[in-house]
Amino acid sequence: LRRIRPLLAGIACLAAAAGASPAPAGPALAPETVEAARALRDRALAGTRATEWVASLIDRAGPRLAGSPGHERAVAWGVETLRALKFANVRAEKVTVPVWKRDSESGEIVSPWPQRLVLTALGDSVATPENGIEGEIFEVHSLEELAGRGAEARGKIVFFDKKMERTADFHGYSTAVDVRGKGASAAARFGAIGVLIRSIGTDSNRLPHTGGLRYDEKLPKIPAAALAAPDADLVERLGKAGPVRVRFRLACGAQAPAESANVVAEVVGRTRPDEIVLLGAHLDSWDLGTGAIDDGAGCGIVIEAARLIAEAPRRPARTIRVVLYANEENGLAGGKGYAAAHASELPKHQAAIEADSGTGAPMALSWLAGPTAETFVGEVVPLLAPVGAGKSSPNGSGGADISTLRASGVPLFAVSQDLTTYFDFHHTANDTLDKIEPKNMDRNVAAVAAFAYAAADAPQSLERIPEARRPQPE
Amino acid sequence: LRRIRPLLAGIACLAAAAGASPAPAGPALAPETVEAARALRDRALAGTRATEWVASLIDRAGPRLAGSPGHERAVAWGVETLRALKFANVRAEKVTVPVWKRDSESGEIVSPWPQRLVLTALGDSVATPENGIEGEIFEVHSLEELAGRGAEARGKIVFFDKKMERTADFHGYSTAVDVRGKGASAAARFGAIGVLIRSIGTDSNRLPHTGGLRYDEKLPKIPAAALAAPDADLVERLGKAGPVRVRFRLACGAQAPAESANVVAEVVGRTRPDEIVLLGAHLDSWDLGTGAIDDGAGCGIVIEAARLIAEAPRRPARTIRVVLYANEENGLAGGKGYAAAHASELPKHQAAIEADSGTGAPMALSWLAGPTAETFVGEVVPLLAPVGAGKSSPNGSGGADISTLRASGVPLFAVSQDLTTYFDFHHTANDTLDKIEPKNMDRNVAAVAAFAYAAADAPQSLERIPEARRPQPE
C-alpha cells in the first residue's frame, strides 16, 4: 500500500491543478505515522498538563485585553513558559494592537420605578457623556424588526431583546450575535441615542456578556451595552405594562494602539523543517473574566499538544509551530500580523488548526481545504473516534485567528467541541478557572496532538483551499 | 368521633397544665375542616398567583434593605396590594429599623500578581479607610483553626476558606455560616486588620454572597467582606505557592435608624376573630439582588395562601393574619417590634408559620409547640402529602421573624423546603425573579393554606411551647 501512495497523490495534485474534479486520493498516512498519532492520543487521554498551563496563565495575567498590563504579563508568561518547556525558536513577534479600555459603567431604570440594571459596555463602544444618556426604551427582537419599524427608534434607546438558543454547536450563537455586532449602527441609522441588548448567552446569571461591536463609519457612533439576562427580563416585563425609561453611563473607549506580540514556539520537523503545521490559540481575553475558557483553554490545549509531540519517540517530518495570538477579541491584529509577517512562508504551511471553543468535549474534526484533503481527513478521523470526534465536517473555517491564512489557501482545521455550556460563561466575569473541565481538556489535547502529528508527518502536501473559497480582495 | 374530641383535648390541656407528660390527644379536626383544607390545597395545586405577587413586589421595589428607598416602596406596595386584594384591617405598623448602607467596594490581589477580586462587604461591616486596607493573607478553614493559630493573625487579613456543603436542608448552611457571623471579631481578637471569607454559598459564580455579621462590642471592629467562589479559589491557589497580599476597600456603614413598618392584613375569623394564626414572611431583602427568593417568595406564598382562604366558601374560626416583616436580614427589628406591639395579644396567637426558604418544593412540616400539638400535626400532615410534605419534624423553630414569639410560647411552624439550589443565589445579585419556580410556589401555597386553615379552624388551642424550650431572659 505504501508504495502506490505517492503516485496517487501525484495524480490528485495534477487533477486539482488542471481544475478537474480530482479523484479521491489513496491512503495518505504511513503505518508508523498512524501508530505515533495513536500513541500520542492515548498518552493524552491518560492525563495531561493542559489545565495546569491554563491556571498558570490566568493566575499571573488575569484579564488580558490586547495591549493591557494583563496582556503584557500574558506575553511574558508565554515566552517564559514555552522556553521552560524546551520548545525551539521561542519568540515574541511584534504586532501593533488596537486598545480599548473599560473604566466604569452603570445603569438603572428611571421609570416606572427606579432600580439598578446590571450591564456592561460592548467592546469598542464609545462612552456616554459623563452623566450618561437617558431615554425611553424601544424594544425590538431582531435587526429585521428594527429595519421595519425604524421610525419608532428616533431619540430612544433601542433594546434588542433577542434570546439565544442553547445548542451544542455554534448555531445558537451565530444566530443571535448579529444584534451585538451590528445593532448600534443599525439603531443609529434611525436616530436612536443608544443601544441595549440582551446578553448573547445562555445563562440566567446577573453577569452580562461583553463582546465586540462594529460601527459603520458612515453613521454616528452611539453607546451600546449588554444587560445581564435577569435585567433584560426586567426591562421586558416592565415594557409590557407601559413605557420604560432607562439611564446608563459608560466610561470606556479607544486608546492609542500599543506594541504587543504574538508568542511563537516550535517543535522542529524531522525531515521537512521548513514546512509548518500551525497550532493556534489566543492569549488575549475580554476584560471582565480571566479568560479561562476563552481562550486560556485553547492555549493550554495547543501548548500541551505540542509538548507531547516534542516528547514523542519520533518527531514528525514537518515543524509544529505554536502561535499564541495577541488580539482575537477586538481586532484580529494578531492573526493579520502573523499572516503579513510570514507571507513568504505561507505556501509552506501544510495546515493550521485553532483551539478557541473552550473546554467542551471534542465532537468532530471540521476542515476547509481542497477536496483531495478528504482522504487525509478520512484517515485521521478514526484516530479521533475514541475521544469523541470520530466524524468530520467539510464546512469548517478553522478559527478567527487562522482565518487570516485563508486568503493564502492554507488548509484550516478545528476540533469542533461541545458548546452546550460554553455560552453560559463566554465573555463574562464568570470565565474563571473553575469552569475548566480537565478531562475534556485531555480529550482535546489528544485530538489536536493526533491530528497535528498526522498532518505534519503526512507524505503529501494537503490540497489548499480552492481559489473560489478564499476571501476576495477588498 | 367528633363528639369525644373536646373531652380528649380537655384532658390533654389539663395534663399539660399539671406538668405531667400528657397522653396523646385524639383526633383534632372536624371533617368539614379537613375537607376545606383539602379543597384549598387542591385549588392551590391547580395554579396560584403567588409568583405574580413576587414579580409585582420586586419590579416596583427592587433591592430593599430595611430603611432604604426600595424598602419604603415595598411597604407602600404591601399596603396597596393587600388592600386591592380586599384583606381586612390592612395597615403599616411602625417599627424603627437599623440602617446599613453599601456605597462601593473593590478589591485586588497586590502580589504575587495584580488581579481584581470580586468581593462584597458583609452586612453591618464597618468601612475601610478610603484607600482600603492592605495586608498579607492568613488562611484558615474554621473558627476553631483560627483559635489554635491566633498568633499568626496579627497585622494580617484573615481569610476564612470554609467550603459550604450542598444539602437539601439547612445543615450545609448552618455548618458553614459561623465564619460569616463571628469571623470578624474572632480575627480582631488576635490583632488581624481585616477579614475575607469564602462566600457562604454553593455556586461557582462570580457573584459574592453578603449576609450579616455580628461584632463583639468589646473588640475592635474590623472590616469584613466575602469573596465570590472563583476569587476564593484564586486566593487559595496562590496561597499554596507563597505569600499573597491583598487590598480591599469598603465604603459602607451604619446610618441613623429609620422609621419603617411591618405590613399587616387579616382574614377575620368566623367564630373566634380575636384568636390569630399568623402567616409571616419578610419584605426587606439584601441590597445586591432583588430579593426574589429571599424573601419575595415567602411574601408571595403567605399573601396567596391568605387570599385563597379568604375566598374559601367557609372562613376558618380564627383570624388569619399576614405579617410582612420589615427587617429580617439585619436586625430582626420587624419581629421584635411585632412581639412588643402585640404583647397583650400573644396568648391568643394559636400558631405562627413563616415562609422564608425560597422557592424549593415542600418537604415536611416542622414545628415547635407543646407535645400534645403532635395530634394536630398528625392530622395535618396527611393533607400535605400530595404536595410532598407528608412528614413532620418536631425540632422546628418557625423562622427568624416569628422566633420573637417563642418567648411567649406561641406554637411555631414552617414548611421545610428543598434547599438544594437555594444557596446558589441566596444573598447575591443573582436573587432575581427568574430563579422563582412557579410550580413549587403553588405547592408551598397549598401547604401553607391547608395548614393555616386547619390551625385556624381546630376546635382546641394548640399546646404552647413548654417553658423549658423558650429562650431565657437575657
Side-chain angles (χ1 to χ4, degrees):
Chain A
L1 276 173
R2 266 185 85 198
R3 262 171 296 165
I4 62 166
R5 199 177 312 120
L7 178 61
L8 285 169
I11 291 170
C13 286
L14 284 172
S21 182
L29 300 174
E32 56 268 35
T33 302
V34 172
E35 193 41 53
R38 189 181 286 128
L40 275 167
R41 177 199 69 197
D42 292 342
R43 180 163 171 203
L45 289 179
T48 77
R49 297 175 70 182
T51 299
E52 183 182 334
W53 313 137
V54 185
S56 166
L57 164 62
I58 69 180
D59 286 357
R60 175 157 164 187
R64 49 192 183 279
L65 201 52
S68 69
H71 188 241
E72 274 183 47
R73 289 195 299 277
V75 170
W77 171 88
V79 170
E80 286 175 30
T81 301
L82 295 167
R83 283 192 180 139
L85 293 176
K86 311 285 189 201
F87 282 99
N89 306 322
V90 176
R91 71 260 188 191
E93 296 188 350
K94 281 192 181 167
V95 287
T96 301
V97 296
V99 178
W100 180 83
K101 189 163 178 288
R102 180 192 319 274
D103 287 317
S104 64
E105 50 203 12
S106 63
E108 70 260 355
I109 293 180
V110 173
S111 64
W113 306 104
Q115 184 165 153
R116 181 174 78 112
L117 288 172
V118 177
L119 53 74
T120 196
L122 296 183
D124 294 334
S125 175
V126 295
T128 63
E130 197 174 323
N131 289 327
I133 58 170
E134 181 184 321
E136 189 178 316
I137 287 288
F138 172 51
E139 179 181 318
V140 294
H141 304 87
S142 65
L143 293 172
E144 295 72 25
E145 183 181 351
L146 176 64
R149 300 175 59 192
E152 298 172 67
R154 177 159 305 278
K156 295 189 180 156
I157 294 172
V158 172
F159 170 40
F160 288 99
D161 190 17
K162 188 171 183 180
K163 285 166 188 159
M164 177 178 162
E165 184 190 355
R166 186 185 293 277
T167 60
D169 62 13
F170 274 103
H171 176 74
Y173 183 68
S174 58
T175 305
V177 77
D178 60 351
V179 297
R180 190 188 78 206
K182 299 175 185 169
S185 288
R189 180 182 306 275
F190 294 111
I193 61 169
V195 159
L196 292 173
I197 67 168
R198 176 184 285 273
S199 279
I200 307 301
T202 45
D203 60 296
S204 57
N205 288 316
R206 206 85 183 280
L207 293 167
H209 295 239
T210 190
L213 62 74
R214 291 179 305 283
Y215 285 120
D216 182 333
E217 294 294 335
K218 297 188 286 293
L219 291 167
K221 295 184 178 181
I222 61 175
L227 292 168
D231 301 84
D233 292 345
L234 174 63
V235 173
E236 179 186 304
R237 277 200 307 278
L238 294 174
K240 284 177 181 158
V244 179
R245 286 188 74 79
V246 161
R247 171 178 284 275
F248 66 93
R249 283 163 295 276
L250 308 178
C252 60
Q255 304 196 328
E259 283 299 297
S260 183
N262 294 325
V263 176
V264 181
E266 293 173 350
V267 181
V268 178
R270 194 179 75 249
T271 56
R272 300 174 171 190
D274 58 331
E275 297 184 28
I276 307 294
V277 171
L278 188 155
L279 314 189
H282 64 87
L283 264 186
D284 66 312
S285 81
W286 279 108
D287 54 334
L288 299 175
T290 59
I293 63 168
D294 186 12
D295 184 29
C299 294
I301 289 165
V302 299
I303 290 170
E304 184 66 357
R307 190 184 74 83
L308 294 182
I309 291 171
E311 286 192 350
R314 195 188 74 146
R315 292 192 167 194
R318 295 178 187 78
T319 289
I320 302 289
R321 180 179 289 170
V322 171
V323 184
L324 307 179
Y325 289 93
N327 172 229
E328 192 270 346
E329 296 294 5
N330 59 330
L332 274 192
K336 291 173 184 168
Y338 179 89
H342 294 269
S344 65
E345 206 184 25
L346 295 186
K348 296 217 163 185
H349 278 52
Q350 160 83 336
I353 187 169
E354 180 158 357
D356 185 19
S357 300
T359 185
M363 309 241 292
L365 182 68
S366 75
W367 60 285
L368 174 64
T372 63
E374 189 167 8
T375 304
F376 166 78
V377 169
E379 294 186 39
V380 169
V381 156
L383 291 169
L384 308 187
V387 305
K391 58 184 180 179
S392 66
S393 160
N395 298 313
S397 58
D401 294 295
I402 65 173
S403 70
T404 58
L405 309 178
R406 183 166 173 170
S408 303
V410 177
L412 303 179
F413 294 82
V415 176
S416 301
Q417 296 175 237
D418 184 344
L419 298 169
T420 304
T421 63
Y422 182 64
F423 293 102
D424 289 344
F425 311 117
H426 180 249
H427 293 186
T428 73
N430 235 351
D431 182 0
T432 47
L433 187 68
D434 51 293
K435 311 309 184 301
I436 295 287
E437 300 174 55
K439 276 285 161 210
N440 282 344
M441 292 292 284
D442 295 345
R443 293 185 181 103
N444 282 292
V445 171
V448 171
F451 162 82
Y453 194 98
D457 211 44
Q460 76 279 48
S461 295
L462 295 172
E463 187 186 348
R464 299 176 81 79
I465 300 171
E467 292 283 355
R469 299 192 68 186
R470 299 182 192 180
Q472 302 305 308
E474 289 173 19
Chain B
L1 275 174
R2 270 185 82 199
R3 263 171 298 163
I4 62 166
R5 201 176 308 121
L7 177 63
L8 283 169
I11 291 170
C13 286
L14 283 171
S21 182
L29 299 177
E32 58 266 37
T33 302
V34 171
E35 194 41 54
R38 188 181 287 129
L40 275 167
R41 177 199 71 198
D42 292 342
R43 178 160 175 206
L45 288 178
T48 77
R49 299 176 70 181
T51 299
E52 183 182 333
W53 312 138
V54 184
S56 167
L57 165 61
I58 69 181
D59 287 356
R60 173 157 166 187
R64 49 192 184 280
L65 201 51
S68 70
H71 187 241
E72 273 183 48
R73 289 195 300 278
V75 170
W77 170 90
V79 170
E80 286 175 31
T81 301
L82 294 167
R83 283 190 181 142
L85 293 176
K86 312 283 188 200
F87 282 99
N89 305 322
V90 176
R91 72 256 189 195
E93 297 188 350
K94 281 193 182 169
V95 288
T96 301
V97 296
V99 177
W100 179 84
K101 189 163 177 288
R102 180 192 321 272
D103 287 317
S104 64
E105 49 202 14
S106 63
E108 70 261 356
I109 292 179
V110 174
S111 65
W113 305 104
Q115 184 166 153
R116 181 173 78 111
L117 289 172
V118 177
L119 53 73
T120 197
L122 296 183
D124 293 335
S125 175
V126 295
T128 63
E130 196 174 322
N131 290 325
I133 58 168
E134 181 184 321
E136 188 177 318
I137 287 288
F138 172 52
E139 179 182 319
V140 294
H141 304 86
S142 65
L143 292 172
E144 295 71 25
E145 183 182 350
L146 176 64
R149 298 175 61 191
E152 298 171 66
R154 178 159 303 279
K156 294 187 181 156
I157 294 171
V158 172
F159 170 39
F160 288 99
D161 191 16
K162 187 171 184 182
K163 285 167 188 157
M164 178 179 161
E165 184 190 355
R166 187 185 292 277
T167 59
D169 62 13
F170 273 104
H171 176 74
Y173 183 67
S174 58
T175 306
V177 77
D178 60 351
V179 298
R180 191 189 79 205
K182 299 176 185 168
S185 289
R189 182 183 305 277
F190 294 110
I193 61 170
V195 159
L196 291 173
I197 68 168
R198 176 184 286 275
S199 280
I200 306 302
T202 45
D203 60 296
S204 58
N205 289 317
R206 207 85 183 280
L207 294 167
H209 297 239
T210 191
L213 63 73
R214 290 180 306 283
Y215 285 120
D216 181 334
E217 294 294 334
K218 297 188 289 292
L219 291 167
K221 294 183 179 181
I222 61 175
L227 292 167
D231 301 84
D233 292 345
L234 174 63
V235 173
E236 178 186 304
R237 278 199 307 279
L238 294 174
K240 285 178 181 158
V244 180
R245 287 188 74 79
V246 161
R247 170 177 285 274
F248 66 92
R249 283 162 295 277
L250 308 179
C252 59
Q255 304 196 328
E259 283 300 296
S260 184
N262 294 324
V263 176
V264 180
E266 292 173 350
V267 181
V268 177
R270 191 180 76 250
T271 55
R272 300 175 171 189
D274 58 331
E275 297 184 28
I276 307 293
V277 170
L278 188 154
L279 313 188
H282 64 86
L283 265 186
D284 66 314
S285 80
W286 279 108
D287 54 336
L288 300 174
T290 58
I293 62 167
D294 187 12
D295 185 26
C299 293
I301 290 164
V302 300
I303 290 170
E304 184 66 357
R307 191 184 73 83
L308 294 182
I309 290 171
E311 286 191 350
R314 194 189 75 146
R315 292 195 167 191
R318 295 179 187 80
T319 290
I320 301 288
R321 178 179 289 171
V322 170
V323 184
L324 306 179
Y325 288 94
N327 170 231
E328 192 271 346
E329 296 295 6
N330 59 331
L332 275 192
K336 290 174 184 168
Y338 180 89
H342 295 269
S344 66
E345 206 185 26
L346 296 186
K348 297 215 162 187
H349 277 51
Q350 158 86 333
I353 186 168
E354 180 158 357
D356 185 18
S357 300
T359 185
M363 307 242 292
L365 181 69
S366 74
W367 61 284
L368 174 63
T372 62
E374 189 166 8
T375 303
F376 168 76
V377 169
E379 293 185 42
V380 168
V381 157
L383 291 169
L384 308 187
V387 304
K391 57 184 181 178
S392 67
S393 159
N395 297 313
S397 58
D401 293 296
I402 63 173
S403 70
T404 57
L405 308 179
R406 183 166 174 169
S408 304
V410 178
L412 303 179
F413 293 83
V415 175
S416 302
Q417 294 175 240
D418 184 344
L419 298 169
T420 304
T421 63
Y422 182 64
F423 293 102
D424 290 344
F425 310 117
H426 179 251
H427 294 186
T428 73
N430 235 350
D431 183 357
T432 47
L433 187 68
D434 51 292
K435 312 308 184 301
I436 295 287
E437 300 173 56
K439 275 284 161 210
N440 281 343
M441 293 292 287
D442 296 344
R443 292 184 182 104
N444 281 291
V445 171
V448 170
F451 161 83
Y453 193 98
D457 212 45
Q460 77 278 50
S461 295
L462 294 172
E463 186 187 350
R464 300 176 79 78
I465 300 171
E467 292 284 353
R469 300 191 70 185
R470 299 183 192 178
Q472 301 305 307
E474 287 174 21

